[in-house]
Amino acid sequence: MSDISPDPATGPERRPASVYGVGTEPDARFSLANERTALAWLRTGLALVAGGVALTTLATFAVAGPLLDLVAALACLAGGTLAVGALVGWRRTERALRLGRPLPAPSALPILVIGVAAIAAVLAGYAVVQAFG
Amino acid sequence: MRAVEGLAGDPGAQPQRTMLAWNRTMLAAVLGAMLVALTAERQQRPVIAAVAGLAALALLVLVLRDLRRWRHDGSGPWTSLLHVGIAVMVLAALGGALAIVGLVP
């Protein structure tokens, strides 16, 4: 079914053209799965931002306030970066699907790991200092 | 419900699952905006709180409009994804601003 011209039922030109202008229409299930993956990345970014904002509240009455604020800023930065990564990843995957190429690796994963690990390490250190300090 | 070509009897219920993923994401985004707004309010940063509240409202209106339009034409999810992505970036910027403002008493 790939040799037919684009049918008029699809309405106006689909954006972005860099994705929909190449290749052929993949199985709709793959496109929907790609969409859900991007949404899951966006929710992950939101969770990091929410954690960072919660940390700023803790920083207002904690002894190590500046340190916690620093980690909060890092968490928010990581969350925003994950949102960018979600959009970029969606485009790359959709292109690969349409061109029948192997799917790209999730490039946002290292950001997530570094962000979560940094927050966990600082909070663990903070808890130890609170308990024994 | 979004109409997807050729998935009428799909046993995997893909369109429904995608719609539910959208609902979860919207809920998370609005809750995140509320969290930022309430936290900023509590720390006496009315400007950040106001921007967060307005961002939540704008996001809701934009994306609900996007999701409604989906029923009528078969354009892809890109615009909606972009809108939610921008909302997450705005919330991240506001959270970062809260943290940095907290660093400077």
Side-chain angles (χ1 to χ4, degrees), chain B residues 12-25:
Chain B
Q14 296 262 355
Q16 289 92 321
R17 273 161 51 198
T18 308
M19 223 44 218
L20 287 169
W22 271 106
N23 293 344
R24 283 200 301 278
T25 308

Side-chain angles (χ1 to χ4, degrees), chain A residues 14-16 20 28-29 32 35-36 39 42-43 46 49-50 53 56-57 60 66 69 72-73 76 80 83-84 87 90-91, chain B residues 2 4 14 17-18 21-22 24-25 29 35 39 42-43 70 74 76-79 81 85 88-89 92 95-96 99 102-103:
Chain A
R14 295 155 82 198
R15 287 186 302 154
Y20 291 114
R29 277 168 293 188
L32 288 173
E35 195 177 321
R36 289 198 300 275
L39 287 171
L42 285 172
R43 286 196 299 274
L46 270 169
V49 172
V53 171
T56 62
T57 295
T60 52
D69 268 327
C76 288
V84 179
L87 299 176
W90 179 87
R91 290 178 72 134
Chain B
R2 206 169 139 198
V4 179
Q14 296 262 355
R17 273 161 51 198
T18 308
W22 271 106
R24 283 200 301 278
T25 308
L35 177 72
T39 307
R42 218 177 136 262
Q43 296 175 22
W70 260 346
W78 173 246
T79 19
L81 282 176
V88 177
M89 289 171 218
L103 274 176

Side-chain angles (χ1 to χ4, degrees), chain A residues 32-127:
Chain A
L32 288 173
N34 182 25
E35 195 177 321
R36 289 198 300 275
T37 306
L39 287 171
W41 275 113
L42 285 172
R43 286 196 299 274
T44 310
L46 270 169
L48 270 174
V49 172
V53 171
L55 270 182
T56 62
T57 295
L58 185 58
T60 52
F61 55 81
V63 182
L67 175 70
L68 290 179
D69 268 327
L70 206 62
V71 175
L74 276 179
C76 288
L77 185 67
T81 314
L82 280 186
V84 179
L87 299 176
V88 172
W90 179 87
R91 290 178 72 134
R92 287 168 68 214
T93 306
E94 197 70 18
R95 263 182 80 93
L97 279 175
R98 295 183 71 88
L99 294 169
R101 291 192 188 141
L103 296 187
S107 55
L109 212 47
I111 304 166
L112 176 65
V113 172
I114 291 167
V116 172
I119 296 163
V122 172
L123 281 182
Y126 177 73

Side-chain angles (χ1 to χ4, degrees), chain B residues 79-96:
Chain B
T79 19
S80 314
L81 282 176
L82 188 65
H83 287 154
V84 182
I86 289 172
V88 177
M89 289 171 218
V90 167
L91 287 180
L94 291 171

